[in-house]
Amino acid sequence: MVRIIPMASSIRPSLSSFRFSGGVSTSRFGLSLSPLRLPSHLHFSHLTSTVPQTHFFGLKASKLLKTAGTRVGMPPVGNVVHASTATAQETALEWVKKDKRRMLHVVYRVGDLDRTIKFYTECLGMKLLRKRDIPEERYTNAFLGYGPEDSHFVIELTYNYGVDKYEIGTAFGHFGIAVEDVAKAVELIKAKGGKVTREPGPVKGGSTVIAFIEEPNGYKFELIERGPTPEPLCQVMLRVGDLDRSITFYEKAFGMELLRTRDNPEYKYTIAMMGYGPEDKNAVLELTYNYGVTEYDKGNGYAQIAIGTDDVYKTAEGIKLFGGKIMREPGPLPGINTKITACLDPDGWKTVFVDNIDFLKELE
């Protein structure tokens, strides 16, 4: 049972303000932000809503099976189904390329919200865009970034009352921030008491100057020396067990572009940069494959990325066609008109797709 909590402020009801039965705090867009480690088998099928009929890219295989057995001269059933699937995939790919998609925000849990906000604003130069406390649900959200949410990739922090620590695990890598002078940024962070885990210097196997710092909750940020950019919060790095599989999935199911890859045999890893535009102007996903490692511990700190779409129904179908797992069927959230769908990629990373128009209405 999903319960909507009325908001006391004049802001429209947030997608954060609902929870699953059982008292587990949630993020915006309906994914659980439990303070406890979630079992891998936990699904969101118990979220109930009225879901309109799906807009299929192609004929259902079940219809083809029935038809194939009753009409003379039909090719073998297996060939019919295969052809139908291929046609549906082609149609889905064409639509995905036209869909207006953008990475909206990244969600993760923190143990001390005020301390985290202070570090992000004073050491990383972010702005606190808004903050929302939901005492009935015992959690608080804070949104921080380098520009307004309708045009920038931002961070959504979630604090669950009474939970002061989370396990980050080994699967999540880091967030990336573009700065014009890495050495100067590191000096400021040190002066503010921040923890530097890698001093400024060229990246391994390259020439770009970087540094790594650790924020109060243990999440790492990579500082990347780069000229002026409209999107300083520029990367989310996640580790995957099969890079080729992940690249194919994000290209076809998510409509992302493979911007570049870099193999570093000396250090036994390969990275792939994927996104919806050039790295110097857009936030991107950095997928990392470490030679021979196929599984990681995801912990319970990092939650998910949200991406905008023009049609959550077609998005969900495309994800299914290309091997993704739908965790929340597409449709409007109960009591709120915002339409979403949630899924897992082949490595189990969560993503929520949000209707573009509904998202802008939420920000009003």
Side-chain angles (χ1 to χ4, degrees), residues 123-126 146 176-189 200 208-213 221-229 231-235 280:
C123 295
L124 301 180
M126 294 185 190
Y146 295 100
I177 298 179
V179 298
E180 294 186 44
D181 189 329
V182 168
K184 186 176 181 180
V186 166
E187 288 179 9
L188 172 63
I189 291 169
T208 303
V209 176
I210 66 167
F212 276 90
I213 63 101
F221 280 82
E222 179 184 14
L223 306 181
I224 306 165
E225 194 156 281
R226 186 180 292 175
T229 173
E231 194 72 280
L233 182 60
C234 59
Q235 288 180 7
D280 60 343

PDB file of all heavy atoms in Angstrom, residues 123-126 146 176-189 200 208-213 221-229 231-235 280:
ATOM      1  N   CYS A 123      33.193  23.467   0.548  1.00  0.00           N
ATOM      2  CA  CYS A 123      34.384  22.851  -0.048  1.00  0.00           C
ATOM      3  C   CYS A 123      34.242  22.588  -1.549  1.00  0.00           C
ATOM      4  O   CYS A 123      35.216  22.695  -2.294  1.00  0.00           O
ATOM      5  CB  CYS A 123      34.723  21.550   0.660  1.00  0.00           C
ATOM      6  SG  CYS A 123      35.205  21.744   2.383  1.00  0.00           S
ATOM      7  N   LEU A 124      33.037  22.222  -1.991  1.00  0.00           N
ATOM      8  CA  LEU A 124      32.843  21.877  -3.397  1.00  0.00           C
ATOM      9  C   LEU A 124      32.152  22.974  -4.189  1.00  0.00           C
ATOM     10  O   LEU A 124      32.002  22.847  -5.411  1.00  0.00           O
ATOM     11  CB  LEU A 124      32.044  20.568  -3.502  1.00  0.00           C
ATOM     12  CG  LEU A 124      32.677  19.350  -2.824  1.00  0.00           C
ATOM     13  CD1 LEU A 124      31.791  18.118  -3.000  1.00  0.00           C
ATOM     14  CD2 LEU A 124      34.076  19.081  -3.363  1.00  0.00           C
ATOM     15  N   GLY A 125      31.720  24.026  -3.515  1.00  0.00           N
ATOM     16  CA  GLY A 125      31.138  25.168  -4.215  1.00  0.00           C
ATOM     17  C   GLY A 125      29.738  24.957  -4.741  1.00  0.00           C
ATOM     18  O   GLY A 125      29.262  25.714  -5.598  1.00  0.00           O
ATOM     19  N   MET A 126      29.023  23.954  -4.240  1.00  0.00           N
ATOM     20  CA  MET A 126      27.648  23.728  -4.686  1.00  0.00           C
ATOM     21  C   MET A 126      26.690  24.686  -3.984  1.00  0.00           C
ATOM     22  O   MET A 126      27.033  25.309  -2.983  1.00  0.00           O
ATOM     23  CB  MET A 126      27.224  22.280  -4.391  1.00  0.00           C
ATOM     24  CG  MET A 126      27.967  21.238  -5.172  1.00  0.00           C
ATOM     25  SD  MET A 126      27.281  19.566  -4.859  1.00  0.00           S
ATOM     26  CE  MET A 126      28.521  18.561  -5.666  1.00  0.00           C
ATOM     27  N   TYR A 146      25.104  22.837  -9.123  1.00  0.00           N
ATOM     28  CA  TYR A 146      25.739  24.053  -9.639  1.00  0.00           C
ATOM     29  C   TYR A 146      24.798  24.884 -10.503  1.00  0.00           C
ATOM     30  O   TYR A 146      25.231  25.816 -11.170  1.00  0.00           O
ATOM     31  CB  TYR A 146      26.990  23.677 -10.433  1.00  0.00           C
ATOM     32  CG  TYR A 146      28.059  23.045  -9.571  1.00  0.00           C
ATOM     33  CD1 TYR A 146      28.232  21.662  -9.550  1.00  0.00           C
ATOM     34  CD2 TYR A 146      28.875  23.821  -8.754  1.00  0.00           C
ATOM     35  CE1 TYR A 146      29.203  21.075  -8.756  1.00  0.00           C
ATOM     36  CE2 TYR A 146      29.846  23.241  -7.949  1.00  0.00           C
ATOM     37  CZ  TYR A 146      30.007  21.871  -7.953  1.00  0.00           C
ATOM     38  OH  TYR A 146      30.964  21.288  -7.149  1.00  0.00           O
ATOM     39  N   GLY A 176      32.184  12.828 -10.327  1.00  0.00           N
ATOM     40  CA  GLY A 176      33.205  13.676 -10.916  1.00  0.00           C
ATOM     41  C   GLY A 176      32.770  15.126 -10.945  1.00  0.00           C
ATOM     42  O   GLY A 176      31.615  15.432 -11.247  1.00  0.00           O
ATOM     43  N   ILE A 177      33.698  16.022 -10.616  1.00  0.00           N
ATOM     44  CA  ILE A 177      33.443  17.460 -10.680  1.00  0.00           C
ATOM     45  C   ILE A 177      34.539  18.116 -11.513  1.00  0.00           C
ATOM     46  O   ILE A 177      35.734  17.908 -11.266  1.00  0.00           O
ATOM     47  CB  ILE A 177      33.424  18.100  -9.276  1.00  0.00           C
ATOM     48  CG1 ILE A 177      32.288  17.505  -8.442  1.00  0.00           C
ATOM     49  CG2 ILE A 177      33.281  19.617  -9.376  1.00  0.00           C
ATOM     50  CD1 ILE A 177      32.221  18.059  -7.030  1.00  0.00           C
ATOM     51  N   ALA A 178      34.137  18.903 -12.506  1.00  0.00           N
ATOM     52  CA  ALA A 178      35.088  19.615 -13.347  1.00  0.00           C
ATOM     53  C   ALA A 178      35.448  20.950 -12.695  1.00  0.00           C
ATOM     54  O   ALA A 178      34.561  21.724 -12.317  1.00  0.00           O
ATOM     55  CB  ALA A 178      34.495  19.856 -14.733  1.00  0.00           C
ATOM     56  N   VAL A 179      36.742  21.195 -12.552  1.00  0.00           N
ATOM     57  CA  VAL A 179      37.227  22.459 -11.983  1.00  0.00           C
ATOM     58  C   VAL A 179      38.335  22.999 -12.888  1.00  0.00           C
ATOM     59  O   VAL A 179      39.007  22.238 -13.587  1.00  0.00           O
ATOM     60  CB  VAL A 179      37.766  22.273 -10.550  1.00  0.00           C
ATOM     61  CG1 VAL A 179      36.667  21.792  -9.616  1.00  0.00           C
ATOM     62  CG2 VAL A 179      38.936  21.301 -10.527  1.00  0.00           C
ATOM     63  N   GLU A 180      38.528  24.308 -12.872  1.00  0.00           N
ATOM     64  CA  GLU A 180      39.539  24.907 -13.734  1.00  0.00           C
ATOM     65  C   GLU A 180      40.947  24.749 -13.180  1.00  0.00           C
ATOM     66  O   GLU A 180      41.919  24.766 -13.936  1.00  0.00           O
ATOM     67  CB  GLU A 180      39.210  26.387 -13.962  1.00  0.00           C
ATOM     68  CG  GLU A 180      37.921  26.588 -14.756  1.00  0.00           C
ATOM     69  CD  GLU A 180      37.676  28.051 -15.105  1.00  0.00           C
ATOM     70  OE1 GLU A 180      38.641  28.730 -15.523  1.00  0.00           O
ATOM     71  OE2 GLU A 180      36.537  28.520 -14.944  1.00  0.00           O
ATOM     72  N   ASP A 181      41.068  24.605 -11.857  1.00  0.00           N
ATOM     73  CA  ASP A 181      42.386  24.474 -11.236  1.00  0.00           C
ATOM     74  C   ASP A 181      42.279  23.449 -10.107  1.00  0.00           C
ATOM     75  O   ASP A 181      41.812  23.768  -9.010  1.00  0.00           O
ATOM     76  CB  ASP A 181      42.859  25.831 -10.706  1.00  0.00           C
ATOM     77  CG  ASP A 181      44.306  25.823 -10.250  1.00  0.00           C
ATOM     78  OD1 ASP A 181      44.777  24.766  -9.777  1.00  0.00           O
ATOM     79  OD2 ASP A 181      44.983  26.866 -10.356  1.00  0.00           O
ATOM     80  N   VAL A 182      42.712  22.226 -10.369  1.00  0.00           N
ATOM     81  CA  VAL A 182      42.590  21.155  -9.390  1.00  0.00           C
ATOM     82  C   VAL A 182      43.413  21.443  -8.144  1.00  0.00           C
ATOM     83  O   VAL A 182      42.951  21.247  -7.013  1.00  0.00           O
ATOM     84  CB  VAL A 182      43.008  19.803 -10.013  1.00  0.00           C
ATOM     85  CG1 VAL A 182      43.176  18.744  -8.925  1.00  0.00           C
ATOM     86  CG2 VAL A 182      41.974  19.351 -11.031  1.00  0.00           C
ATOM     87  N   ALA A 183      44.652  21.914  -8.324  1.00  0.00           N
ATOM     88  CA  ALA A 183      45.532  22.177  -7.185  1.00  0.00           C
ATOM     89  C   ALA A 183      44.921  23.222  -6.248  1.00  0.00           C
ATOM     90  O   ALA A 183      44.955  23.071  -5.013  1.00  0.00           O
ATOM     91  CB  ALA A 183      46.895  22.642  -7.673  1.00  0.00           C
ATOM     92  N   LYS A 184      44.347  24.248  -6.813  1.00  0.00           N
ATOM     93  CA  LYS A 184      43.723  25.308  -6.014  1.00  0.00           C
ATOM     94  C   LYS A 184      42.505  24.765  -5.265  1.00  0.00           C
ATOM     95  O   LYS A 184      42.279  25.099  -4.097  1.00  0.00           O
ATOM     96  CB  LYS A 184      43.317  26.469  -6.918  1.00  0.00           C
ATOM     97  CG  LYS A 184      42.788  27.682  -6.179  1.00  0.00           C
ATOM     98  CD  LYS A 184      42.504  28.824  -7.141  1.00  0.00           C
ATOM     99  CE  LYS A 184      41.989  30.056  -6.405  1.00  0.00           C
ATOM    100  NZ  LYS A 184      41.716  31.173  -7.358  1.00  0.00           N
ATOM    101  N   ALA A 185      41.713  23.926  -5.946  1.00  0.00           N
ATOM    102  CA  ALA A 185      40.534  23.335  -5.312  1.00  0.00           C
ATOM    103  C   ALA A 185      40.936  22.450  -4.146  1.00  0.00           C
ATOM    104  O   ALA A 185      40.301  22.462  -3.086  1.00  0.00           O
ATOM    105  CB  ALA A 185      39.734  22.542  -6.342  1.00  0.00           C
ATOM    106  N   VAL A 186      42.009  21.682  -4.316  1.00  0.00           N
ATOM    107  CA  VAL A 186      42.491  20.806  -3.261  1.00  0.00           C
ATOM    108  C   VAL A 186      42.971  21.611  -2.052  1.00  0.00           C
ATOM    109  O   VAL A 186      42.719  21.241  -0.897  1.00  0.00           O
ATOM    110  CB  VAL A 186      43.620  19.889  -3.786  1.00  0.00           C
ATOM    111  CG1 VAL A 186      44.354  19.211  -2.632  1.00  0.00           C
ATOM    112  CG2 VAL A 186      43.030  18.840  -4.723  1.00  0.00           C
ATOM    113  N   GLU A 187      43.650  22.723  -2.302  1.00  0.00           N
ATOM    114  CA  GLU A 187      44.107  23.589  -1.206  1.00  0.00           C
ATOM    115  C   GLU A 187      42.935  24.083  -0.372  1.00  0.00           C
ATOM    116  O   GLU A 187      42.987  24.098   0.864  1.00  0.00           O
ATOM    117  CB  GLU A 187      44.886  24.781  -1.765  1.00  0.00           C
ATOM    118  CG  GLU A 187      46.263  24.434  -2.309  1.00  0.00           C
ATOM    119  CD  GLU A 187      46.986  25.649  -2.863  1.00  0.00           C
ATOM    120  OE1 GLU A 187      46.469  26.782  -2.662  1.00  0.00           O
ATOM    121  OE2 GLU A 187      48.041  25.492  -3.490  1.00  0.00           O
ATOM    122  N   LEU A 188      41.867  24.485  -1.047  1.00  0.00           N
ATOM    123  CA  LEU A 188      40.671  24.972  -0.351  1.00  0.00           C
ATOM    124  C   LEU A 188      40.047  23.865   0.481  1.00  0.00           C
ATOM    125  O   LEU A 188      39.672  24.083   1.641  1.00  0.00           O
ATOM    126  CB  LEU A 188      39.651  25.492  -1.367  1.00  0.00           C
ATOM    127  CG  LEU A 188      38.264  25.861  -0.809  1.00  0.00           C
ATOM    128  CD1 LEU A 188      38.379  27.017   0.183  1.00  0.00           C
ATOM    129  CD2 LEU A 188      37.300  26.229  -1.933  1.00  0.00           C
ATOM    130  N   ILE A 189      39.944  22.682  -0.098  1.00  0.00           N
ATOM    131  CA  ILE A 189      39.336  21.555   0.610  1.00  0.00           C
ATOM    132  C   ILE A 189      40.155  21.201   1.852  1.00  0.00           C
ATOM    133  O   ILE A 189      39.607  20.937   2.925  1.00  0.00           O
ATOM    134  CB  ILE A 189      39.194  20.351  -0.340  1.00  0.00           C
ATOM    135  CG1 ILE A 189      38.137  20.659  -1.403  1.00  0.00           C
ATOM    136  CG2 ILE A 189      38.826  19.086   0.436  1.00  0.00           C
ATOM    137  CD1 ILE A 189      38.082  19.671  -2.537  1.00  0.00           C
ATOM    138  N   PRO A 200      46.825  16.123  -6.455  1.00  0.00           N
ATOM    139  CA  PRO A 200      46.723  16.500  -7.865  1.00  0.00           C
ATOM    140  C   PRO A 200      47.870  15.933  -8.699  1.00  0.00           C
ATOM    141  O   PRO A 200      49.022  15.888  -8.256  1.00  0.00           O
ATOM    142  CB  PRO A 200      46.788  18.026  -7.825  1.00  0.00           C
ATOM    143  CG  PRO A 200      46.286  18.383  -6.466  1.00  0.00           C
ATOM    144  CD  PRO A 200      46.784  17.297  -5.564  1.00  0.00           C
ATOM    145  N   THR A 208      45.445  14.224 -18.268  1.00  0.00           N
ATOM    146  CA  THR A 208      44.492  15.076 -17.555  1.00  0.00           C
ATOM    147  C   THR A 208      44.831  15.117 -16.067  1.00  0.00           C
ATOM    148  O   THR A 208      45.027  14.073 -15.436  1.00  0.00           O
ATOM    149  CB  THR A 208      43.057  14.558 -17.736  1.00  0.00           C
ATOM    150  OG1 THR A 208      42.746  14.499 -19.120  1.00  0.00           O
ATOM    151  CG2 THR A 208      42.059  15.467 -17.032  1.00  0.00           C
ATOM    152  N   VAL A 209      44.886  16.316 -15.496  1.00  0.00           N
ATOM    153  CA  VAL A 209      45.191  16.475 -14.074  1.00  0.00           C
ATOM    154  C   VAL A 209      43.926  16.206 -13.257  1.00  0.00           C
ATOM    155  O   VAL A 209      42.863  16.774 -13.521  1.00  0.00           O
ATOM    156  CB  VAL A 209      45.722  17.883 -13.775  1.00  0.00           C
ATOM    157  CG1 VAL A 209      45.949  18.073 -12.270  1.00  0.00           C
ATOM    158  CG2 VAL A 209      47.028  18.128 -14.532  1.00  0.00           C
ATOM    159  N   ILE A 210      44.066  15.333 -12.271  1.00  0.00           N
ATOM    160  CA  ILE A 210      42.938  14.992 -11.407  1.00  0.00           C
ATOM    161  C   ILE A 210      43.397  14.934  -9.957  1.00  0.00           C
ATOM    162  O   ILE A 210      44.593  14.967  -9.650  1.00  0.00           O
ATOM    163  CB  ILE A 210      42.320  13.626 -11.792  1.00  0.00           C
ATOM    164  CG1 ILE A 210      43.331  12.494 -11.506  1.00  0.00           C
ATOM    165  CG2 ILE A 210      41.852  13.612 -13.230  1.00  0.00           C
ATOM    166  CD1 ILE A 210      42.721  11.106 -11.554  1.00  0.00           C
ATOM    167  N   ALA A 211      42.435  14.838  -9.054  1.00  0.00           N
ATOM    168  CA  ALA A 211      42.688  14.570  -7.635  1.00  0.00           C
ATOM    169  C   ALA A 211      41.439  13.888  -7.103  1.00  0.00           C
ATOM    170  O   ALA A 211      40.360  13.961  -7.720  1.00  0.00           O
ATOM    171  CB  ALA A 211      42.966  15.853  -6.872  1.00  0.00           C
ATOM    172  N   PHE A 212      41.571  13.193  -5.978  1.00  0.00           N
ATOM    173  CA  PHE A 212      40.413  12.560  -5.349  1.00  0.00           C
ATOM    174  C   PHE A 212      40.280  13.069  -3.925  1.00  0.00           C
ATOM    175  O   PHE A 212      41.270  13.209  -3.191  1.00  0.00           O
ATOM    176  CB  PHE A 212      40.561  11.037  -5.332  1.00  0.00           C
ATOM    177  CG  PHE A 212      40.130  10.370  -6.605  1.00  0.00           C
ATOM    178  CD1 PHE A 212      41.045  10.164  -7.630  1.00  0.00           C
ATOM    179  CD2 PHE A 212      38.817   9.961  -6.790  1.00  0.00           C
ATOM    180  CE1 PHE A 212      40.660   9.546  -8.810  1.00  0.00           C
ATOM    181  CE2 PHE A 212      38.420   9.345  -7.962  1.00  0.00           C
ATOM    182  CZ  PHE A 212      39.346   9.140  -8.985  1.00  0.00           C
ATOM    183  N   ILE A 213      39.036  13.342  -3.546  1.00  0.00           N
ATOM    184  CA  ILE A 213      38.744  13.742  -2.170  1.00  0.00           C
ATOM    185  C   ILE A 213      37.618  12.868  -1.648  1.00  0.00           C
ATOM    186  O   ILE A 213      36.873  12.242  -2.425  1.00  0.00           O
ATOM    187  CB  ILE A 213      38.381  15.240  -2.068  1.00  0.00           C
ATOM    188  CG1 ILE A 213      37.095  15.552  -2.867  1.00  0.00           C
ATOM    189  CG2 ILE A 213      39.540  16.087  -2.563  1.00  0.00           C
ATOM    190  CD1 ILE A 213      35.871  15.665  -2.038  1.00  0.00           C
ATOM    191  N   PHE A 221      34.920  11.875  -4.544  1.00  0.00           N
ATOM    192  CA  PHE A 221      34.741  12.790  -5.662  1.00  0.00           C
ATOM    193  C   PHE A 221      36.063  12.912  -6.399  1.00  0.00           C
ATOM    194  O   PHE A 221      37.110  13.126  -5.776  1.00  0.00           O
ATOM    195  CB  PHE A 221      34.299  14.177  -5.182  1.00  0.00           C
ATOM    196  CG  PHE A 221      32.835  14.276  -4.867  1.00  0.00           C
ATOM    197  CD1 PHE A 221      32.344  13.842  -3.646  1.00  0.00           C
ATOM    198  CD2 PHE A 221      31.947  14.815  -5.787  1.00  0.00           C
ATOM    199  CE1 PHE A 221      30.994  13.929  -3.339  1.00  0.00           C
ATOM    200  CE2 PHE A 221      30.586  14.907  -5.492  1.00  0.00           C
ATOM    201  CZ  PHE A 221      30.112  14.472  -4.267  1.00  0.00           C
ATOM    202  N   GLU A 222      36.010  12.793  -7.717  1.00  0.00           N
ATOM    203  CA  GLU A 222      37.181  13.046  -8.548  1.00  0.00           C
ATOM    204  C   GLU A 222      37.112  14.479  -9.042  1.00  0.00           C
ATOM    205  O   GLU A 222      36.105  14.897  -9.634  1.00  0.00           O
ATOM    206  CB  GLU A 222      37.206  12.090  -9.743  1.00  0.00           C
ATOM    207  CG  GLU A 222      38.402  12.309 -10.661  1.00  0.00           C
ATOM    208  CD  GLU A 222      38.385  11.420 -11.894  1.00  0.00           C
ATOM    209  OE1 GLU A 222      37.321  10.827 -12.178  1.00  0.00           O
ATOM    210  OE2 GLU A 222      39.421  11.317 -12.564  1.00  0.00           O
ATOM    211  N   LEU A 223      38.156  15.241  -8.802  1.00  0.00           N
ATOM    212  CA  LEU A 223      38.264  16.600  -9.326  1.00  0.00           C
ATOM    213  C   LEU A 223      39.017  16.521 -10.641  1.00  0.00           C
ATOM    214  O   LEU A 223      40.142  16.010 -10.696  1.00  0.00           O
ATOM    215  CB  LEU A 223      38.987  17.502  -8.343  1.00  0.00           C
ATOM    216  CG  LEU A 223      38.421  17.557  -6.917  1.00  0.00           C
ATOM    217  CD1 LEU A 223      39.229  18.513  -6.055  1.00  0.00           C
ATOM    218  CD2 LEU A 223      36.953  17.946  -6.924  1.00  0.00           C
ATOM    219  N   ILE A 224      38.408  17.012 -11.712  1.00  0.00           N
ATOM    220  CA  ILE A 224      38.966  16.891 -13.056  1.00  0.00           C
ATOM    221  C   ILE A 224      39.276  18.289 -13.585  1.00  0.00           C
ATOM    222  O   ILE A 224      38.380  19.135 -13.654  1.00  0.00           O
ATOM    223  CB  ILE A 224      37.966  16.196 -13.993  1.00  0.00           C
ATOM    224  CG1 ILE A 224      37.521  14.853 -13.398  1.00  0.00           C
ATOM    225  CG2 ILE A 224      38.563  15.992 -15.380  1.00  0.00           C
ATOM    226  CD1 ILE A 224      36.284  14.276 -14.045  1.00  0.00           C
ATOM    227  N   GLU A 225      40.530  18.515 -13.945  1.00  0.00           N
ATOM    228  CA  GLU A 225      40.904  19.838 -14.459  1.00  0.00           C
ATOM    229  C   GLU A 225      40.381  20.005 -15.881  1.00  0.00           C
ATOM    230  O   GLU A 225      40.720  19.234 -16.784  1.00  0.00           O
ATOM    231  CB  GLU A 225      42.422  20.016 -14.425  1.00  0.00           C
ATOM    232  CG  GLU A 225      42.854  21.461 -14.624  1.00  0.00           C
ATOM    233  CD  GLU A 225      44.225  21.726 -14.036  1.00  0.00           C
ATOM    234  OE1 GLU A 225      44.322  21.897 -12.796  1.00  0.00           O
ATOM    235  OE2 GLU A 225      45.197  21.739 -14.809  1.00  0.00           O
ATOM    236  N   ARG A 226      39.544  21.012 -16.053  1.00  0.00           N
ATOM    237  CA  ARG A 226      38.860  21.234 -17.325  1.00  0.00           C
ATOM    238  C   ARG A 226      38.486  22.707 -17.428  1.00  0.00           C
ATOM    239  O   ARG A 226      38.308  23.374 -16.412  1.00  0.00           O
ATOM    240  CB  ARG A 226      37.616  20.348 -17.385  1.00  0.00           C
ATOM    241  CG  ARG A 226      36.872  20.335 -18.683  1.00  0.00           C
ATOM    242  CD  ARG A 226      35.664  19.422 -18.595  1.00  0.00           C
ATOM    243  NE  ARG A 226      36.030  18.002 -18.476  1.00  0.00           N
ATOM    244  CZ  ARG A 226      35.147  17.037 -18.285  1.00  0.00           C
ATOM    245  NH1 ARG A 226      33.865  17.318 -18.142  1.00  0.00           N
ATOM    246  NH2 ARG A 226      35.549  15.779 -18.211  1.00  0.00           N
ATOM    247  N   GLY A 227      38.375  23.221 -18.637  1.00  0.00           N
ATOM    248  CA  GLY A 227      37.975  24.608 -18.827  1.00  0.00           C
ATOM    249  C   GLY A 227      36.548  24.844 -18.388  1.00  0.00           C
ATOM    250  O   GLY A 227      35.863  23.926 -17.926  1.00  0.00           O
ATOM    251  N   PRO A 228      36.072  26.079 -18.512  1.00  0.00           N
ATOM    252  CA  PRO A 228      34.697  26.409 -18.107  1.00  0.00           C
ATOM    253  C   PRO A 228      33.687  25.461 -18.758  1.00  0.00           C
ATOM    254  O   PRO A 228      33.788  25.130 -19.931  1.00  0.00           O
ATOM    255  CB  PRO A 228      34.516  27.842 -18.613  1.00  0.00           C
ATOM    256  CG  PRO A 228      35.904  28.394 -18.660  1.00  0.00           C
ATOM    257  CD  PRO A 228      36.779  27.256 -19.070  1.00  0.00           C
ATOM    258  N   THR A 229      32.724  24.997 -17.965  1.00  0.00           N
ATOM    259  CA  THR A 229      31.725  24.056 -18.455  1.00  0.00           C
ATOM    260  C   THR A 229      30.356  24.395 -17.881  1.00  0.00           C
ATOM    261  O   THR A 229      30.258  24.861 -16.742  1.00  0.00           O
ATOM    262  CB  THR A 229      32.099  22.609 -18.065  1.00  0.00           C
ATOM    263  OG1 THR A 229      31.022  21.725 -18.416  1.00  0.00           O
ATOM    264  CG2 THR A 229      32.353  22.488 -16.567  1.00  0.00           C
ATOM    265  N   GLU A 231      28.236  22.250 -17.032  1.00  0.00           N
ATOM    266  CA  GLU A 231      27.820  21.139 -16.165  1.00  0.00           C
ATOM    267  C   GLU A 231      29.005  20.654 -15.327  1.00  0.00           C
ATOM    268  O   GLU A 231      29.616  19.628 -15.611  1.00  0.00           O
ATOM    269  CB  GLU A 231      27.286  19.993 -17.025  1.00  0.00           C
ATOM    270  CG  GLU A 231      26.517  18.925 -16.269  1.00  0.00           C
ATOM    271  CD  GLU A 231      25.159  19.383 -15.789  1.00  0.00           C
ATOM    272  OE1 GLU A 231      25.128  20.075 -14.753  1.00  0.00           O
ATOM    273  OE2 GLU A 231      24.153  19.071 -16.436  1.00  0.00           O
ATOM    274  N   PRO A 232      29.337  21.387 -14.242  1.00  0.00           N
ATOM    275  CA  PRO A 232      30.482  20.986 -13.403  1.00  0.00           C
ATOM    276  C   PRO A 232      30.326  19.611 -12.751  1.00  0.00           C
ATOM    277  O   PRO A 232      31.310  18.883 -12.612  1.00  0.00           O
ATOM    278  CB  PRO A 232      30.540  22.098 -12.340  1.00  0.00           C
ATOM    279  CG  PRO A 232      29.880  23.272 -12.990  1.00  0.00           C
ATOM    280  CD  PRO A 232      28.778  22.675 -13.823  1.00  0.00           C
ATOM    281  N   LEU A 233      29.110  19.259 -12.331  1.00  0.00           N
ATOM    282  CA  LEU A 233      28.877  17.916 -11.777  1.00  0.00           C
ATOM    283  C   LEU A 233      28.761  16.988 -12.980  1.00  0.00           C
ATOM    284  O   LEU A 233      27.692  16.822 -13.560  1.00  0.00           O
ATOM    285  CB  LEU A 233      27.608  17.894 -10.937  1.00  0.00           C
ATOM    286  CG  LEU A 233      27.268  16.567 -10.246  1.00  0.00           C
ATOM    287  CD1 LEU A 233      28.370  16.143  -9.286  1.00  0.00           C
ATOM    288  CD2 LEU A 233      25.931  16.672  -9.520  1.00  0.00           C
ATOM    289  N   CYS A 234      29.881  16.375 -13.377  1.00  0.00           N
ATOM    290  CA  CYS A 234      29.979  15.833 -14.729  1.00  0.00           C
ATOM    291  C   CYS A 234      30.036  14.322 -14.855  1.00  0.00           C
ATOM    292  O   CYS A 234      29.917  13.801 -15.964  1.00  0.00           O
ATOM    293  CB  CYS A 234      31.200  16.444 -15.425  1.00  0.00           C
ATOM    294  SG  CYS A 234      32.770  16.116 -14.580  1.00  0.00           S
ATOM    295  N   GLN A 235      30.226  13.579 -13.749  1.00  0.00           N
ATOM    296  CA  GLN A 235      30.375  12.130 -13.882  1.00  0.00           C
ATOM    297  C   GLN A 235      29.772  11.375 -12.701  1.00  0.00           C
ATOM    298  O   GLN A 235      29.773  11.867 -11.582  1.00  0.00           O
ATOM    299  CB  GLN A 235      31.859  11.733 -13.953  1.00  0.00           C
ATOM    300  CG  GLN A 235      32.584  12.076 -15.217  1.00  0.00           C
ATOM    301  CD  GLN A 235      34.033  11.621 -15.164  1.00  0.00           C
ATOM    302  OE1 GLN A 235      34.441  10.929 -14.220  1.00  0.00           O
ATOM    303  NE2 GLN A 235      34.829  12.008 -16.148  1.00  0.00           N
ATOM    304  N   ASP A 280      32.203  17.571 -22.039  1.00  0.00           N
ATOM    305  CA  ASP A 280      32.494  18.916 -21.533  1.00  0.00           C
ATOM    306  C   ASP A 280      31.241  19.765 -21.341  1.00  0.00           C
ATOM    307  O   ASP A 280      31.309  20.874 -20.811  1.00  0.00           O
ATOM    308  CB  ASP A 280      33.470  19.641 -22.454  1.00  0.00           C
ATOM    309  CG  ASP A 280      32.928  19.800 -23.879  1.00  0.00           C
ATOM    310  OD1 ASP A 280      31.970  19.080 -24.242  1.00  0.00           O
ATOM    311  OD2 ASP A 280      33.458  20.643 -24.619  1.00  0.00           O
TER     312      ASP A 280
END
